[in-house]
Amino acid sequence: MKKLMILAFCLLGVLSARGQEQKEYPKPKGMQPRHTEFWLPQPPVITPGSFVATVDMPVSGKVKKGQPATAPATVGASDIYVTAPSDAIVLFDGSGLEEWVGPKGAAPGWQVADGVLTIVPGTGEIGTKRVFHDFQLHIEWSEPVDIQGESQERGNSGIFLQGRYEIQVLDNYHNETYASGGAGSIYKQHAPLVNAMRAPGQWNVYDIIYEAPTFKKDGTFRTYPHVTVLHNGVVVQNHTEILGTTEYVGFPHQRAHGDGPIILQDHGNPVRFRNIWIREL
Amino acid sequence: MKKLMILAFCLLGVLSARGQEQKEYPKPKGMQPRHTEFWLPQPPVITPGSFVATVDMPVSGKVKKGQPATAPATVGASDIYVTAPSDAIVLFDGSGLEEWVGPKGAAPGWQVADGVLTIVPGTGEIGTKRVFHDFQLHIEWSEPVDIQGESQERGNSGIFLQGRYEIQVLDNYHNETYASGGAGSIYKQHAPLVNAMRAPGQWNVYDIIYEAPTFKKDGTFRTYPHVTVLHNGVVVQNHTEILGTTEYVGFPHQRAHGDGPIILQDHGNPVRFRNIWIREL
Amino acid sequence: MKKLMILAFCLLGVLSARGQEQKEYPKPKGMQPRHTEFWLPQPPVITPGSFVATVDMPVSGKVKKGQPATAPATVGASDIYVTAPSDAIVLFDGSGLEEWVGPKGAAPGWQVADGVLTIVPGTGEIGTKRVFHDFQLHIEWSEPVDIQGESQERGNSGIFLQGRYEIQVLDNYHNETYASGGAGSIYKQHAPLVNAMRAPGQWNVYDIIYEAPTFKKDGTFRTYPHVTVLHNGVVVQNHTEILGTTEYVGFPHQRAHGDGPIILQDHGNPVRFRNIWIREL
Amino acid sequence: MKKLMILAFCLLGVLSARGQEQKEYPKPKGMQPRHTEFWLPQPPVITPGSFVATVDMPVSGKVKKGQPATAPATVGASDIYVTAPSDAIVLFDGSGLEEWVGPKGAAPGWQVADGVLTIVPGTGEIGTKRVFHDFQLHIEWSEPVDIQGESQERGNSGIFLQGRYEIQVLDNYHNETYASGGAGSIYKQHAPLVNAMRAPGQWNVYDIIYEAPTFKKDGTFRTYPHVTVLHNGVVVQNHTEILGTTEYVGFPHQRAHGDGPIILQDHGNPVRFRNIWIREL
């Protein structure tokens, strides 16, 4: 079996390395399994949510490579149900926006209806009242079916981590744009590994794992912020370094900051959101 | 708004830092947005799967913190349907084991029935015929409802990445064990961040993102293998360093190796698996 | 030229990758060199020290691979002079121990004579009064010429970073010990890349670059401490991860802590030190 | 003592964490020191060089913060002697350029005299015949005393790692330029932590530790190249990520490549070099 052959090969490699094995060295004898079994701290027990369910739910009983899937007759778009993990802060459950503020501390101008949050263009961005350090964020979003325009002018919005590092939201379905500006990109820094976009009207899911930066004395990054993004269950950013702020013109800036909010961008398109929760790490 | 205050604070901090701003330095004027827009390489377009659906699907229309959820009457355990992403290699779709081999290259001795793969204790581990480098692995597993024993003697199995680094599979629901041996642990190295276990009979989901190590001349790690694990949609390992092989007795070993298979462990318990796919990164 | 060939090869590789280049995409034209020239913050200006000079100073006018070198007649061991960088905190300049304390806050029991600090066995460790976060540490040490014993019983001492992570000090010259316990090792965790030891009586130099850890809520490492060590100008640890405390018995522990002192170990051997300075990073 | 107080504090912190300690868990008793003592592989034994000696050698017998230092009467600039480590490849020992080639594979046009290599402006860059992966590079350089111009027009040259990632060489002594273009910068990417420049006519020393990148399928970095730079013994880059090629106009490019040479730039200024050696890691 290939595995055994690889192991044998490695063993030979080690044995021949500098011929050190002719010599007898002490060996760590007498170890017990319990010597490597640590009981504390015990991980906290949580109840996981049913974290994703989509209108793409197929009818087949088998795993198949992503064919266009049809929702079973008994589960329609409006029947999609999820729970958040028991240790999550629910930021939007379909009912109201008490966790959010609009520009200058005003009430958010966006629309809540049928369990869905829709951007009202021109009312400005909304941000969480809470601020966060390291976290896991779950957020679902959907592009308008009657969408117009192309490239960046097509269902554009964004999710700003700690208020300054943008994960792009865009209708990237059969719509090309610059690679580092596509859905799942760290805006103008890192293209997504793949384009895992669903069609307008369907729900996209982002699961975002974020680590905040630490700073040097001069305010630049001592350790970079990192982000892992799953787009519809597919990894599109894998512990990617965020190089600084995600600027429209010019380069990323690095400036010291503390915890920050989640901000959703008003880029003039009526993108919809639902099922938003966050877990502090 | 807090965000603006933080920005203002940072700006002040920068302005006052060493008083350098009194002096006039050249500024990068004249930049255009297009200067930071790169079109190549374009990310490959894939069709995402409907990557998770579980028996925990609740009946409520809102996101709620993980309460015990009841599947809708019309969606039972046997009705769970998923598709894999279009660029995935499906390793088990419920039908057969043509992607797997048993010990010494023999046919796998495990049972396939009703779309589910069940360990037949004593028949030995099974491993993929293919070998992998960096990858995203999706795998679902379920513990027997009539499970006996405690600590490690309770629904024990494991998933070996590149044939040597084990992500623990265990019934960790209302069952304590050493922290670094729980479900979602890198066995005997890193405890999971939380215990996100579902009850016996329910389906657990692992989404595993793995980066292979590189090696120094002496065979030890030049760059460590890293793994991110989501257990039921909750991050339990976040780009965690794997310190070496996951040994039952003694310490992790570091030895140079090439690509390796996914291996599922026979630890003597009839753990069940389904919906296994992998994407090479 | 090889370089051009490599570039050409890479270019071909990119051009052929997925054949994307047939298509015309926008290009970032019109960029000026000034667009990538940033003037602030300016790095602080320091006066570097003459940071190393050793009794090994050879007589030849050419670089030669490390042959046994003879000090020029006019420069003997007692004539070696160094300055610390202008932004360093001088911890020991040969005159006194005002920067140090002994066990339980008592005055240090070690001997200062002829510009050299010598361990008085049995008087206990000494530690800096100051505590540090990230830093560059320069320290010189020398083993007794009449040294006895073997393996770990030979000129053993140690330098504890932030009071808890030990870089081993040992006479490792023609004296074998376990690899992860040699000079330049992170004690019982990481062997040095090479053994760059000078003979007893000569001066060894450590240049140590250290990054402090950050912590998760449970007190374990969120980001690991890292250390780079040059031993006599040769890299022996290259941004190596420190796995936790450096224990004599058992495994590294991870516990949250703040800034910490530099501690020099009394392991019962009269090891000598000189020229100790530190720069906060 | 502060250290004990910190330890006590940490212990209390752990004990109070979630009150888990009331419960009795198994403890890893019976461990012996030998269980954590590993003898293989033994680090290779090398003879370190006398890796740095400069014209700044001061006359005082004590460590002092970097005051202007005077070389002892008996050790002048022409008397500085060093040896390279015994496992180094000596690239320039003052005698000849047999390790180097000029543009298009021609013989290098630079001048060798008195053990020093001087750029002959207009003759083009020179590169090593050998190519390298991971390495430690030692190189000394000196700016002309009759230097003219300012900012980048002052003693400009550069050291290209793997033929494409430039560490800037510049007379940065009492000469301001953009921060990311100063001596010790990764050109147009990362400013040095400090400006540790010596005056024209004196010798500067770079000790450079480099880790090559690995690549994703699309040719972008899977793991970034990293570099640590000591400038005159002072850390100016600490395991800094190299973002891509170091471009004069525009942004870093990421393209897959293999091993590459050390290249020294002809930027039109008669910068001098000496004592160049490299150790493969």
PDB file of all heavy atoms in Angstrom, chain A residues 127-142:
ATOM      1  N   GLY A 127     -23.955  49.412  11.350  1.00  0.00           N
ATOM      2  CA  GLY A 127     -22.900  48.742  12.103  1.00  0.00           C
ATOM      3  C   GLY A 127     -23.431  48.205  13.413  1.00  0.00           C
ATOM      4  O   GLY A 127     -24.438  48.701  13.949  1.00  0.00           O
ATOM      5  N   THR A 128     -22.783  47.183  13.930  1.00  0.00           N
ATOM      6  CA  THR A 128     -23.227  46.640  15.217  1.00  0.00           C
ATOM      7  C   THR A 128     -22.899  47.614  16.338  1.00  0.00           C
ATOM      8  O   THR A 128     -21.899  48.330  16.285  1.00  0.00           O
ATOM      9  CB  THR A 128     -22.530  45.299  15.517  1.00  0.00           C
ATOM     10  OG1 THR A 128     -21.109  45.489  15.464  1.00  0.00           O
ATOM     11  CG2 THR A 128     -22.925  44.243  14.511  1.00  0.00           C
ATOM     12  N   LYS A 129     -23.752  47.643  17.339  1.00  0.00           N
ATOM     13  CA  LYS A 129     -23.469  48.444  18.529  1.00  0.00           C
ATOM     14  C   LYS A 129     -22.295  47.827  19.302  1.00  0.00           C
ATOM     15  O   LYS A 129     -21.490  48.542  19.885  1.00  0.00           O
ATOM     16  CB  LYS A 129     -24.709  48.508  19.417  1.00  0.00           C
ATOM     17  CG  LYS A 129     -25.875  49.255  18.778  1.00  0.00           C
ATOM     18  CD  LYS A 129     -27.112  49.181  19.667  1.00  0.00           C
ATOM     19  CE  LYS A 129     -28.290  49.894  19.010  1.00  0.00           C
ATOM     20  NZ  LYS A 129     -29.559  49.629  19.742  1.00  0.00           N
ATOM     21  N   ARG A 130     -22.224  46.516  19.291  1.00  0.00           N
ATOM     22  CA  ARG A 130     -21.121  45.839  19.975  1.00  0.00           C
ATOM     23  C   ARG A 130     -19.850  45.917  19.133  1.00  0.00           C
ATOM     24  O   ARG A 130     -19.912  46.020  17.916  1.00  0.00           O
ATOM     25  CB  ARG A 130     -21.432  44.349  20.184  1.00  0.00           C
ATOM     26  CG  ARG A 130     -22.698  44.072  20.947  1.00  0.00           C
ATOM     27  CD  ARG A 130     -22.862  42.549  21.079  1.00  0.00           C
ATOM     28  NE  ARG A 130     -24.231  42.189  21.404  1.00  0.00           N
ATOM     29  CZ  ARG A 130     -24.600  41.579  22.535  1.00  0.00           C
ATOM     30  NH1 ARG A 130     -23.699  41.247  23.427  1.00  0.00           N
ATOM     31  NH2 ARG A 130     -25.865  41.282  22.748  1.00  0.00           N
ATOM     32  N   VAL A 131     -18.713  45.814  19.797  1.00  0.00           N
ATOM     33  CA  VAL A 131     -17.442  45.703  19.079  1.00  0.00           C
ATOM     34  C   VAL A 131     -16.824  44.344  19.393  1.00  0.00           C
ATOM     35  O   VAL A 131     -17.107  43.750  20.438  1.00  0.00           O
ATOM     36  CB  VAL A 131     -16.468  46.851  19.441  1.00  0.00           C
ATOM     37  CG1 VAL A 131     -16.984  48.166  18.893  1.00  0.00           C
ATOM     38  CG2 VAL A 131     -16.241  46.932  20.941  1.00  0.00           C
ATOM     39  N   PHE A 132     -15.987  43.878  18.507  1.00  0.00           N
ATOM     40  CA  PHE A 132     -15.470  42.519  18.594  1.00  0.00           C
ATOM     41  C   PHE A 132     -13.963  42.454  18.363  1.00  0.00           C
ATOM     42  O   PHE A 132     -13.389  43.334  17.713  1.00  0.00           O
ATOM     43  CB  PHE A 132     -16.177  41.629  17.557  1.00  0.00           C
ATOM     44  CG  PHE A 132     -17.668  41.613  17.708  1.00  0.00           C
ATOM     45  CD1 PHE A 132     -18.478  42.416  16.909  1.00  0.00           C
ATOM     46  CD2 PHE A 132     -18.267  40.824  18.672  1.00  0.00           C
ATOM     47  CE1 PHE A 132     -19.857  42.426  17.056  1.00  0.00           C
ATOM     48  CE2 PHE A 132     -19.648  40.812  18.834  1.00  0.00           C
ATOM     49  CZ  PHE A 132     -20.444  41.624  18.026  1.00  0.00           C
ATOM     50  N   HIS A 133     -13.374  41.385  18.879  1.00  0.00           N
ATOM     51  CA  HIS A 133     -11.930  41.138  18.718  1.00  0.00           C
ATOM     52  C   HIS A 133     -11.776  39.957  17.748  1.00  0.00           C
ATOM     53  O   HIS A 133     -11.907  40.143  16.560  1.00  0.00           O
ATOM     54  CB  HIS A 133     -11.327  40.857  20.097  1.00  0.00           C
ATOM     55  CG  HIS A 133      -9.848  40.783  20.105  1.00  0.00           C
ATOM     56  ND1 HIS A 133      -9.049  41.836  19.749  1.00  0.00           N
ATOM     57  CD2 HIS A 133      -8.994  39.778  20.435  1.00  0.00           C
ATOM     58  CE1 HIS A 133      -7.780  41.485  19.839  1.00  0.00           C
ATOM     59  NE2 HIS A 133      -7.725  40.236  20.245  1.00  0.00           N
ATOM     60  N   ASP A 134     -11.554  38.766  18.247  1.00  0.00           N
ATOM     61  CA  ASP A 134     -11.533  37.571  17.390  1.00  0.00           C
ATOM     62  C   ASP A 134     -12.947  36.997  17.351  1.00  0.00           C
ATOM     63  O   ASP A 134     -13.639  36.982  18.374  1.00  0.00           O
ATOM     64  CB  ASP A 134     -10.609  36.498  17.983  1.00  0.00           C
ATOM     65  CG  ASP A 134      -9.167  36.963  18.104  1.00  0.00           C
ATOM     66  OD1 ASP A 134      -8.796  37.961  17.477  1.00  0.00           O
ATOM     67  OD2 ASP A 134      -8.414  36.300  18.848  1.00  0.00           O
ATOM     68  N   PHE A 135     -13.346  36.471  16.215  1.00  0.00           N
ATOM     69  CA  PHE A 135     -14.716  35.970  16.153  1.00  0.00           C
ATOM     70  C   PHE A 135     -14.937  35.031  14.981  1.00  0.00           C
ATOM     71  O   PHE A 135     -14.123  34.964  14.051  1.00  0.00           O
ATOM     72  CB  PHE A 135     -15.712  37.130  16.061  1.00  0.00           C
ATOM     73  CG  PHE A 135     -15.480  38.050  14.902  1.00  0.00           C
ATOM     74  CD1 PHE A 135     -15.935  37.731  13.625  1.00  0.00           C
ATOM     75  CD2 PHE A 135     -14.798  39.258  15.073  1.00  0.00           C
ATOM     76  CE1 PHE A 135     -15.725  38.592  12.556  1.00  0.00           C
ATOM     77  CE2 PHE A 135     -14.591  40.120  14.007  1.00  0.00           C
ATOM     78  CZ  PHE A 135     -15.044  39.788  12.750  1.00  0.00           C
ATOM     79  N   GLN A 136     -16.074  34.310  15.060  1.00  0.00           N
ATOM     80  CA  GLN A 136     -16.633  33.565  13.934  1.00  0.00           C
ATOM     81  C   GLN A 136     -17.955  34.216  13.599  1.00  0.00           C
ATOM     82  O   GLN A 136     -18.831  34.329  14.462  1.00  0.00           O
ATOM     83  CB  GLN A 136     -16.851  32.087  14.313  1.00  0.00           C
ATOM     84  CG  GLN A 136     -17.528  31.302  13.183  1.00  0.00           C
ATOM     85  CD  GLN A 136     -17.801  29.845  13.546  1.00  0.00           C
ATOM     86  OE1 GLN A 136     -17.597  29.430  14.681  1.00  0.00           O
ATOM     87  NE2 GLN A 136     -18.267  29.074  12.577  1.00  0.00           N
ATOM     88  N   LEU A 137     -18.100  34.647  12.363  1.00  0.00           N
ATOM     89  CA  LEU A 137     -19.316  35.340  11.923  1.00  0.00           C
ATOM     90  C   LEU A 137     -20.027  34.495  10.878  1.00  0.00           C
ATOM     91  O   LEU A 137     -19.419  34.043   9.906  1.00  0.00           O
ATOM     92  CB  LEU A 137     -18.950  36.703  11.312  1.00  0.00           C
ATOM     93  CG  LEU A 137     -20.082  37.497  10.643  1.00  0.00           C
ATOM     94  CD1 LEU A 137     -21.102  37.968  11.669  1.00  0.00           C
ATOM     95  CD2 LEU A 137     -19.507  38.684   9.871  1.00  0.00           C
ATOM     96  N   HIS A 138     -21.328  34.314  11.070  1.00  0.00           N
ATOM     97  CA  HIS A 138     -22.166  33.654  10.077  1.00  0.00           C
ATOM     98  C   HIS A 138     -23.136  34.681   9.525  1.00  0.00           C
ATOM     99  O   HIS A 138     -23.810  35.370  10.284  1.00  0.00           O
ATOM    100  CB  HIS A 138     -22.924  32.485  10.721  1.00  0.00           C
ATOM    101  CG  HIS A 138     -23.899  31.823   9.796  1.00  0.00           C
ATOM    102  ND1 HIS A 138     -23.601  30.685   9.087  1.00  0.00           N
ATOM    103  CD2 HIS A 138     -25.170  32.145   9.445  1.00  0.00           C
ATOM    104  CE1 HIS A 138     -24.645  30.336   8.347  1.00  0.00           C
ATOM    105  NE2 HIS A 138     -25.618  31.209   8.543  1.00  0.00           N
ATOM    106  N   ILE A 139     -23.200  34.786   8.213  1.00  0.00           N
ATOM    107  CA  ILE A 139     -24.095  35.766   7.602  1.00  0.00           C
ATOM    108  C   ILE A 139     -24.548  35.239   6.244  1.00  0.00           C
ATOM    109  O   ILE A 139     -23.765  34.641   5.500  1.00  0.00           O
ATOM    110  CB  ILE A 139     -23.398  37.145   7.483  1.00  0.00           C
ATOM    111  CG1 ILE A 139     -24.354  38.231   7.000  1.00  0.00           C
ATOM    112  CG2 ILE A 139     -22.152  37.076   6.630  1.00  0.00           C
ATOM    113  CD1 ILE A 139     -23.806  39.649   7.204  1.00  0.00           C
ATOM    114  N   GLU A 140     -25.819  35.417   5.947  1.00  0.00           N
ATOM    115  CA  GLU A 140     -26.374  34.964   4.670  1.00  0.00           C
ATOM    116  C   GLU A 140     -26.825  36.189   3.882  1.00  0.00           C
ATOM    117  O   GLU A 140     -27.300  37.160   4.459  1.00  0.00           O
ATOM    118  CB  GLU A 140     -27.531  33.998   4.925  1.00  0.00           C
ATOM    119  CG  GLU A 140     -27.098  32.827   5.812  1.00  0.00           C
ATOM    120  CD  GLU A 140     -28.227  31.850   6.166  1.00  0.00           C
ATOM    121  OE1 GLU A 140     -29.245  31.838   5.468  1.00  0.00           O
ATOM    122  OE2 GLU A 140     -28.057  31.118   7.154  1.00  0.00           O
ATOM    123  N   TRP A 141     -26.647  36.126   2.584  1.00  0.00           N
ATOM    124  CA  TRP A 141     -26.988  37.284   1.746  1.00  0.00           C
ATOM    125  C   TRP A 141     -27.472  36.815   0.384  1.00  0.00           C
ATOM    126  O   TRP A 141     -27.119  35.739  -0.095  1.00  0.00           O
ATOM    127  CB  TRP A 141     -25.798  38.233   1.609  1.00  0.00           C
ATOM    128  CG  TRP A 141     -24.512  37.590   1.162  1.00  0.00           C
ATOM    129  CD1 TRP A 141     -23.657  36.863   1.938  1.00  0.00           C
ATOM    130  CD2 TRP A 141     -23.955  37.608  -0.151  1.00  0.00           C
ATOM    131  NE1 TRP A 141     -22.591  36.426   1.192  1.00  0.00           N
ATOM    132  CE2 TRP A 141     -22.740  36.876  -0.085  1.00  0.00           C
ATOM    133  CE3 TRP A 141     -24.325  38.170  -1.364  1.00  0.00           C
ATOM    134  CZ2 TRP A 141     -21.922  36.685  -1.207  1.00  0.00           C
ATOM    135  CZ3 TRP A 141     -23.517  37.987  -2.481  1.00  0.00           C
ATOM    136  CH2 TRP A 141     -22.329  37.250  -2.384  1.00  0.00           C
ATOM    137  N   SER A 142     -28.279  37.671  -0.236  1.00  0.00           N
ATOM    138  CA  SER A 142     -28.898  37.292  -1.505  1.00  0.00           C
ATOM    139  C   SER A 142     -28.961  38.506  -2.425  1.00  0.00           C
ATOM    140  O   SER A 142     -29.218  39.628  -1.989  1.00  0.00           O
ATOM    141  CB  SER A 142     -30.312  36.753  -1.232  1.00  0.00           C
ATOM    142  OG  SER A 142     -30.939  36.385  -2.445  1.00  0.00           O
TER     143      SER A 142
END
